[in-house]
PDB file of all heavy atoms in Angstrom:
ATOM      1  N   PRO A  34      90.920  98.417  95.573  1.00  0.00           N
ATOM      2  CA  PRO A  34      92.232  98.954  95.197  1.00  0.00           C
ATOM      3  C   PRO A  34      92.727  98.230  93.943  1.00  0.00           C
ATOM      4  O   PRO A  34      92.619  97.004  93.857  1.00  0.00           O
ATOM      5  CB  PRO A  34      93.125  98.632  96.400  1.00  0.00           C
ATOM      6  CG  PRO A  34      92.206  98.140  97.474  1.00  0.00           C
ATOM      7  CD  PRO A  34      90.990  97.620  96.799  1.00  0.00           C
ATOM      8  N   VAL A  35      93.240  98.977  92.996  1.00  0.00           N
ATOM      9  CA  VAL A  35      93.657  98.380  91.722  1.00  0.00           C
ATOM     10  C   VAL A  35      95.121  98.710  91.463  1.00  0.00           C
ATOM     11  O   VAL A  35      95.509  99.882  91.435  1.00  0.00           O
ATOM     12  CB  VAL A  35      92.794  98.919  90.560  1.00  0.00           C
ATOM     13  CG1 VAL A  35      93.261  98.323  89.232  1.00  0.00           C
ATOM     14  CG2 VAL A  35      91.317  98.619  90.805  1.00  0.00           C
ATOM     15  N   TYR A  36      95.917  97.675  91.285  1.00  0.00           N
ATOM     16  CA  TYR A  36      97.319  97.896  90.907  1.00  0.00           C
ATOM     17  C   TYR A  36      97.803  96.747  90.018  1.00  0.00           C
ATOM     18  O   TYR A  36      97.981  95.613  90.480  1.00  0.00           O
ATOM     19  CB  TYR A  36      98.231  98.016  92.128  1.00  0.00           C
ATOM     20  CG  TYR A  36      99.673  98.249  91.746  1.00  0.00           C
ATOM     21  CD1 TYR A  36     100.077  99.471  91.203  1.00  0.00           C
ATOM     22  CD2 TYR A  36     100.627  97.245  91.886  1.00  0.00           C
ATOM     23  CE1 TYR A  36     101.382  99.689  90.817  1.00  0.00           C
ATOM     24  CE2 TYR A  36     101.944  97.450  91.507  1.00  0.00           C
ATOM     25  CZ  TYR A  36     102.325  98.681  90.977  1.00  0.00           C
ATOM     26  OH  TYR A  36     103.623  98.885  90.585  1.00  0.00           O
ATOM     27  N   ASN A  37      97.957  97.036  88.740  1.00  0.00           N
ATOM     28  CA  ASN A  37      98.515  96.082  87.776  1.00  0.00           C
ATOM     29  C   ASN A  37      97.838  94.718  87.809  1.00  0.00           C
ATOM     30  O   ASN A  37      98.500  93.677  87.865  1.00  0.00           O
ATOM     31  CB  ASN A  37     100.024  95.921  88.002  1.00  0.00           C
ATOM     32  CG  ASN A  37     100.815  97.161  87.601  1.00  0.00           C
ATOM     33  OD1 ASN A  37     100.259  98.124  87.053  1.00  0.00           O
ATOM     34  ND2 ASN A  37     102.102  97.151  87.862  1.00  0.00           N
ATOM     35  N   THR A  38      96.515  94.729  87.752  1.00  0.00           N
ATOM     36  CA  THR A  38      95.763  93.467  87.711  1.00  0.00           C
ATOM     37  C   THR A  38      94.846  93.455  86.485  1.00  0.00           C
ATOM     38  O   THR A  38      93.699  93.023  86.556  1.00  0.00           O
ATOM     39  CB  THR A  38      94.929  93.288  88.992  1.00  0.00           C
ATOM     40  OG1 THR A  38      94.171  94.484  89.254  1.00  0.00           O
ATOM     41  CG2 THR A  38      95.803  92.975  90.180  1.00  0.00           C
ATOM     42  N   TYR A  39      95.368  93.927  85.367  1.00  0.00           N
ATOM     43  CA  TYR A  39      94.563  94.053  84.147  1.00  0.00           C
ATOM     44  C   TYR A  39      93.881  92.740  83.773  1.00  0.00           C
ATOM     45  O   TYR A  39      92.701  92.718  83.416  1.00  0.00           O
ATOM     46  CB  TYR A  39      95.451  94.530  82.989  1.00  0.00           C
ATOM     47  CG  TYR A  39      94.716  94.628  81.671  1.00  0.00           C
ATOM     48  CD1 TYR A  39      93.969  95.752  81.356  1.00  0.00           C
ATOM     49  CD2 TYR A  39      94.786  93.583  80.743  1.00  0.00           C
ATOM     50  CE1 TYR A  39      93.282  95.845  80.153  1.00  0.00           C
ATOM     51  CE2 TYR A  39      94.110  93.663  79.540  1.00  0.00           C
ATOM     52  CZ  TYR A  39      93.360  94.791  79.257  1.00  0.00           C
ATOM     53  OH  TYR A  39      92.685  94.867  78.063  1.00  0.00           O
ATOM     54  N   ASP A  40      94.613  91.624  83.857  1.00  0.00           N
ATOM     55  CA  ASP A  40      94.064  90.335  83.429  1.00  0.00           C
ATOM     56  C   ASP A  40      92.974  89.813  84.363  1.00  0.00           C
ATOM     57  O   ASP A  40      92.198  88.931  83.977  1.00  0.00           O
ATOM     58  CB  ASP A  40      95.181  89.287  83.334  1.00  0.00           C
ATOM     59  CG  ASP A  40      96.181  89.607  82.232  1.00  0.00           C
ATOM     60  OD1 ASP A  40      95.802  90.340  81.286  1.00  0.00           O
ATOM     61  OD2 ASP A  40      97.334  89.152  82.328  1.00  0.00           O
ATOM     62  N   LEU A  41      92.895  90.338  85.579  1.00  0.00           N
ATOM     63  CA  LEU A  41      91.946  89.824  86.567  1.00  0.00           C
ATOM     64  C   LEU A  41      90.861  90.819  86.947  1.00  0.00           C
ATOM     65  O   LEU A  41      89.866  90.443  87.575  1.00  0.00           O
ATOM     66  CB  LEU A  41      92.702  89.410  87.838  1.00  0.00           C
ATOM     67  CG  LEU A  41      93.761  88.317  87.659  1.00  0.00           C
ATOM     68  CD1 LEU A  41      94.644  88.226  88.901  1.00  0.00           C
ATOM     69  CD2 LEU A  41      93.111  86.978  87.370  1.00  0.00           C
ATOM     70  N   LEU A  42      91.038  92.065  86.562  1.00  0.00           N
ATOM     71  CA  LEU A  42      90.146  93.124  87.024  1.00  0.00           C
ATOM     72  C   LEU A  42      88.712  92.953  86.541  1.00  0.00           C
ATOM     73  O   LEU A  42      87.760  93.186  87.289  1.00  0.00           O
ATOM     74  CB  LEU A  42      90.686  94.490  86.593  1.00  0.00           C
ATOM     75  CG  LEU A  42      89.935  95.708  87.112  1.00  0.00           C
ATOM     76  CD1 LEU A  42      89.901  95.721  88.638  1.00  0.00           C
ATOM     77  CD2 LEU A  42      90.575  96.999  86.580  1.00  0.00           C
ATOM     78  N   SER A  43      88.534  92.531  85.297  1.00  0.00           N
ATOM     79  CA  SER A  43      87.176  92.375  84.763  1.00  0.00           C
ATOM     80  C   SER A  43      86.399  91.328  85.548  1.00  0.00           C
ATOM     81  O   SER A  43      85.224  91.527  85.874  1.00  0.00           O
ATOM     82  CB  SER A  43      87.227  91.981  83.286  1.00  0.00           C
ATOM     83  OG  SER A  43      87.714  93.040  82.490  1.00  0.00           O
ATOM     84  N   ARG A  44      87.036  90.202  85.853  1.00  0.00           N
ATOM     85  CA  ARG A  44      86.361  89.162  86.633  1.00  0.00           C
ATOM     86  C   ARG A  44      85.938  89.705  87.988  1.00  0.00           C
ATOM     87  O   ARG A  44      84.816  89.456  88.454  1.00  0.00           O
ATOM     88  CB  ARG A  44      87.271  87.951  86.814  1.00  0.00           C
ATOM     89  CG  ARG A  44      86.629  86.835  87.632  1.00  0.00           C
ATOM     90  CD  ARG A  44      87.543  85.643  87.823  1.00  0.00           C
ATOM     91  NE  ARG A  44      88.685  85.947  88.676  1.00  0.00           N
ATOM     92  CZ  ARG A  44      89.605  85.054  89.038  1.00  0.00           C
ATOM     93  NH1 ARG A  44      89.520  83.809  88.607  1.00  0.00           N
ATOM     94  NH2 ARG A  44      90.624  85.407  89.817  1.00  0.00           N
ATOM     95  N   CYS A  45      86.835  90.444  88.631  1.00  0.00           N
ATOM     96  CA  CYS A  45      86.548  91.002  89.948  1.00  0.00           C
ATOM     97  C   CYS A  45      85.367  91.961  89.889  1.00  0.00           C
ATOM     98  O   CYS A  45      84.376  91.793  90.614  1.00  0.00           O
ATOM     99  CB  CYS A  45      87.781  91.727  90.476  1.00  0.00           C
ATOM    100  SG  CYS A  45      87.482  92.687  91.979  1.00  0.00           S
ATOM    101  N   VAL A  46      85.448  92.970  89.033  1.00  0.00           N
ATOM    102  CA  VAL A  46      84.421  94.014  88.991  1.00  0.00           C
ATOM    103  C   VAL A  46      83.087  93.453  88.510  1.00  0.00           C
ATOM    104  O   VAL A  46      82.020  93.816  89.030  1.00  0.00           O
ATOM    105  CB  VAL A  46      84.876  95.190  88.112  1.00  0.00           C
ATOM    106  CG1 VAL A  46      83.772  96.238  87.994  1.00  0.00           C
ATOM    107  CG2 VAL A  46      86.140  95.825  88.700  1.00  0.00           C
ATOM    108  N   ASN A  47      83.127  92.567  87.532  1.00  0.00           N
ATOM    109  CA  ASN A  47      81.868  91.984  87.048  1.00  0.00           C
ATOM    110  C   ASN A  47      81.169  91.166  88.127  1.00  0.00           C
ATOM    111  O   ASN A  47      79.937  91.110  88.178  1.00  0.00           O
ATOM    112  CB  ASN A  47      82.128  91.124  85.811  1.00  0.00           C
ATOM    113  CG  ASN A  47      82.421  91.964  84.581  1.00  0.00           C
ATOM    114  OD1 ASN A  47      82.009  93.130  84.505  1.00  0.00           O
ATOM    115  ND2 ASN A  47      83.139  91.392  83.629  1.00  0.00           N
ATOM    116  N   SER A  48      81.947  90.536  89.005  1.00  0.00           N
ATOM    117  CA  SER A  48      81.321  89.784  90.093  1.00  0.00           C
ATOM    118  C   SER A  48      80.613  90.723  91.071  1.00  0.00           C
ATOM    119  O   SER A  48      79.629  90.334  91.702  1.00  0.00           O
ATOM    120  CB  SER A  48      82.365  88.929  90.822  1.00  0.00           C
ATOM    121  OG  SER A  48      83.217  89.711  91.641  1.00  0.00           O
ATOM    122  N   ILE A  49      81.100  91.956  91.182  1.00  0.00           N
ATOM    123  CA  ILE A  49      80.434  92.948  92.028  1.00  0.00           C
ATOM    124  C   ILE A  49      79.228  93.530  91.302  1.00  0.00           C
ATOM    125  O   ILE A  49      78.162  93.726  91.896  1.00  0.00           O
ATOM    126  CB  ILE A  49      81.415  94.066  92.433  1.00  0.00           C
ATOM    127  CG1 ILE A  49      82.663  93.476  93.101  1.00  0.00           C
ATOM    128  CG2 ILE A  49      80.738  95.055  93.393  1.00  0.00           C
ATOM    129  CD1 ILE A  49      83.773  94.493  93.356  1.00  0.00           C
ATOM    130  N   ARG A  50      79.376  93.782  90.017  1.00  0.00           N
ATOM    131  CA  ARG A  50      78.268  94.325  89.235  1.00  0.00           C
ATOM    132  C   ARG A  50      77.075  93.364  89.184  1.00  0.00           C
ATOM    133  O   ARG A  50      75.928  93.783  89.068  1.00  0.00           O
ATOM    134  CB  ARG A  50      78.742  94.632  87.806  1.00  0.00           C
ATOM    135  CG  ARG A  50      79.738  95.779  87.723  1.00  0.00           C
ATOM    136  CD  ARG A  50      80.357  95.894  86.344  1.00  0.00           C
ATOM    137  NE  ARG A  50      79.365  96.197  85.315  1.00  0.00           N
ATOM    138  CZ  ARG A  50      79.628  96.242  84.018  1.00  0.00           C
ATOM    139  NH1 ARG A  50      80.861  95.976  83.572  1.00  0.00           N
ATOM    140  NH2 ARG A  50      78.681  96.537  83.157  1.00  0.00           N
ATOM    141  N   ARG A  51      77.353  92.068  89.291  1.00  0.00           N
ATOM    142  CA  ARG A  51      76.285  91.065  89.220  1.00  0.00           C
ATOM    143  C   ARG A  51      75.614  90.803  90.564  1.00  0.00           C
ATOM    144  O   ARG A  51      74.789  89.879  90.676  1.00  0.00           O
ATOM    145  CB  ARG A  51      76.847  89.752  88.669  1.00  0.00           C
ATOM    146  CG  ARG A  51      77.170  89.779  87.180  1.00  0.00           C
ATOM    147  CD  ARG A  51      77.379  88.376  86.634  1.00  0.00           C
ATOM    148  NE  ARG A  51      78.578  87.770  87.192  1.00  0.00           N
ATOM    149  CZ  ARG A  51      79.768  87.780  86.583  1.00  0.00           C
ATOM    150  NH1 ARG A  51      79.909  88.388  85.418  1.00  0.00           N
ATOM    151  NH2 ARG A  51      80.813  87.194  87.151  1.00  0.00           N
ATOM    152  N   GLN A  52      75.928  91.586  91.579  1.00  0.00           N
ATOM    153  CA  GLN A  52      75.315  91.375  92.882  1.00  0.00           C
ATOM    154  C   GLN A  52      73.794  91.495  92.808  1.00  0.00           C
ATOM    155  O   GLN A  52      73.258  92.377  92.134  1.00  0.00           O
ATOM    156  CB  GLN A  52      75.854  92.386  93.894  1.00  0.00           C
ATOM    157  CG  GLN A  52      77.300  92.158  94.289  1.00  0.00           C
ATOM    158  CD  GLN A  52      77.499  90.835  95.008  1.00  0.00           C
ATOM    159  OE1 GLN A  52      77.047  90.635  96.126  1.00  0.00           O
ATOM    160  NE2 GLN A  52      78.203  89.902  94.345  1.00  0.00           N
ATOM    161  N   THR A  53      73.115  90.607  93.503  1.00  0.00           N
ATOM    162  CA  THR A  53      71.647  90.661  93.535  1.00  0.00           C
ATOM    163  C   THR A  53      71.161  91.888  94.287  1.00  0.00           C
ATOM    164  O   THR A  53      70.036  92.351  94.064  1.00  0.00           O
ATOM    165  CB  THR A  53      71.074  89.393  94.188  1.00  0.00           C
ATOM    166  OG1 THR A  53      71.673  89.214  95.489  1.00  0.00           O
ATOM    167  CG2 THR A  53      71.359  88.169  93.327  1.00  0.00           C
ATOM    168  N   TYR A  54      71.989  92.423  95.188  1.00  0.00           N
ATOM    169  CA  TYR A  54      71.662  93.701  95.822  1.00  0.00           C
ATOM    170  C   TYR A  54      72.194  94.793  94.902  1.00  0.00           C
ATOM    171  O   TYR A  54      73.403  94.930  94.709  1.00  0.00           O
ATOM    172  CB  TYR A  54      72.282  93.825  97.215  1.00  0.00           C
ATOM    173  CG  TYR A  54      71.794  95.062  97.934  1.00  0.00           C
ATOM    174  CD1 TYR A  54      70.561  95.057  98.586  1.00  0.00           C
ATOM    175  CD2 TYR A  54      72.534  96.237  97.923  1.00  0.00           C
ATOM    176  CE1 TYR A  54      70.082  96.193  99.217  1.00  0.00           C
ATOM    177  CE2 TYR A  54      72.068  97.374  98.559  1.00  0.00           C
ATOM    178  CZ  TYR A  54      70.841  97.349  99.198  1.00  0.00           C
ATOM    179  OH  TYR A  54      70.360  98.485  99.813  1.00  0.00           O
ATOM    180  N   ARG A  55      71.301  95.566  94.327  1.00  0.00           N
ATOM    181  CA  ARG A  55      71.665  96.478  93.251  1.00  0.00           C
ATOM    182  C   ARG A  55      72.091  97.870  93.716  1.00  0.00           C
ATOM    183  O   ARG A  55      72.810  98.568  92.989  1.00  0.00           O
ATOM    184  CB  ARG A  55      70.471  96.637  92.288  1.00  0.00           C
ATOM    185  CG  ARG A  55      69.955  95.329  91.709  1.00  0.00           C
ATOM    186  CD  ARG A  55      71.000  94.652  90.848  1.00  0.00           C
ATOM    187  NE  ARG A  55      71.346  95.466  89.691  1.00  0.00           N
ATOM    188  CZ  ARG A  55      72.373  95.228  88.881  1.00  0.00           C
ATOM    189  NH1 ARG A  55      73.168  94.196  89.132  1.00  0.00           N
ATOM    190  NH2 ARG A  55      72.622  96.010  87.852  1.00  0.00           N
ATOM    191  N   ASN A  56      71.658  98.300  94.894  1.00  0.00           N
ATOM    192  CA  ASN A  56      71.928  99.668  95.313  1.00  0.00           C
ATOM    193  C   ASN A  56      73.322  99.770  95.943  1.00  0.00           C
ATOM    194  O   ASN A  56      73.483  99.838  97.157  1.00  0.00           O
ATOM    195  CB  ASN A  56      70.866 100.161  96.309  1.00  0.00           C
ATOM    196  CG  ASN A  56      70.923 101.663  96.501  1.00  0.00           C
ATOM    197  OD1 ASN A  56      71.192 102.408  95.558  1.00  0.00           O
ATOM    198  ND2 ASN A  56      70.688 102.118  97.715  1.00  0.00           N
TER     199      ASN A  56
END
Side-chain angles (χ1 to χ4, degrees):
V35 178
Y36 180 71
N37 290 354
T38 50
Y39 177 83
D40 294 337
L41 300 167
L42 186 58
S43 291
R44 179 181 68 177
C45 171
V46 176
N47 287 336
S48 74
I49 305 172
R50 292 170 63 186
R51 288 195 293 264
Q52 290 296 292
T53 54
Y54 187 81
R55 304 296 297 169
N56 194 36

